[in-house]
Amino acid sequence: MKNIVVLISGSGSNMAAIVRRAQSERWSERLGVRVAAVISNKADAKGLVFAQENGIATAVLDHKAYPSREAFDAALMQEIDRHAPALVVLAGFMRILTPGFVAHYAGRLLNIHPSLLPAFPGLHTHERAIEAGCKFAGATVHEVTAELDHGPILAQAVVPVLPDDTPDVLAARVLTQEHRIYPQAVADFLQRQG
Ligand code: GAR
């Protein structure tokens, strides 16, 4: 059985969408894949409860307990590697990763970013899209490489930016699409991996 490890920092709705899709499409039988663990850098991440309720192992590593980014990433790698993952999925994991971490998971590390990359890497994507007068916004699933929010694009979804949109309203519209494209991109990626 191939293992997926999902990293979250907050509500974990993308993680939940992937778990639900794995359940409804019987990934373990069809693809030989399961979500083995959900790891958060925040103890109060809501997604941890969903994972536990769905029988998935969880772990919390508080980045504030480590003296450096390198030390945190080393501990995180150790925790992830207990599950020997075929794929590591970043799902709202709000940490900048060290080059060593990215290199260790090269070719098996995916992220979803709430913009139409390469536009608006980084934070506050919806606010920036509205301020720039964009007529469309969206989300991007990409392979993670050393440069933040870059890397080969695997899937995108486009939504309109409407005249009265606030960042929160636009974020909700984009998030609905994230829940559609991320599980699909994960399944496609694993099928290509064979
Ligand atoms: C999602 O919109 C995701 O694209 C974004 O955080 C949200 C997490 O929601 N990720 C980033 O901004 C990464 N730079 P979720 O916890 O409900 O999946």
Side-chain angles (χ1 to χ4, degrees), residues 7 9 41 63 68-74 76 90 92-102 109 111 113 121-123 144-149:
L7 306 187
S9 296
N41 64 318
H63 59 275
S68 66
R69 202 174 277 287
E70 285 72 21
F72 172 71
D73 276 11
L76 183 59
L90 307 178
F93 188 61
M94 304 307 277
R95 295 278 310 164
I96 292 174
L97 301 166
T98 56
F101 183 99
V102 173
L109 184 58
N111 182 44
H113 182 76
L123 297 175
V144 176
T145 55
E147 200 180 346
L148 180 71
D149 297 329

Side-chain angles (χ1 to χ4, degrees), residues 10-15 91-94 111-114 122 149 175 178:
S11 58
S13 69
N14 276 292
M15 174 275 296
F93 188 61
M94 304 307 277
N111 182 44
I112 190 157
H113 182 76
D149 297 329
L175 193 60
E178 294 185 38

Side-chain angles (χ1 to χ4, degrees), residues 52-133:
Q52 282 153 7
E53 284 170 357
N54 282 269
I56 298 167
T58 60
V60 175
L61 272 81
D62 181 355
H63 59 275
K64 293 201 268 331
Y66 294 85
S68 66
R69 202 174 277 287
E70 285 72 21
F72 172 71
D73 276 11
L76 183 59
M77 281 191 258
Q78 209 167 34
E79 185 62 39
I80 293 170
D81 286 349
R82 290 178 51 216
H83 304 280
L87 183 62
V88 177
V89 170
L90 307 178
F93 188 61
M94 304 307 277
R95 295 278 310 164
I96 292 174
L97 301 166
T98 56
F101 183 99
V102 173
H104 184 69
Y105 297 106
R108 52 180 175 138
L109 184 58
L110 302 187
N111 182 44
I112 190 157
H113 182 76
S115 79
L116 292 171
L117 291 174
F120 308 123
L123 297 175
H124 309 302
T125 54
H126 307 300
E127 198 177 319
R128 287 155 67 204
I130 291 169
E131 268 171 20

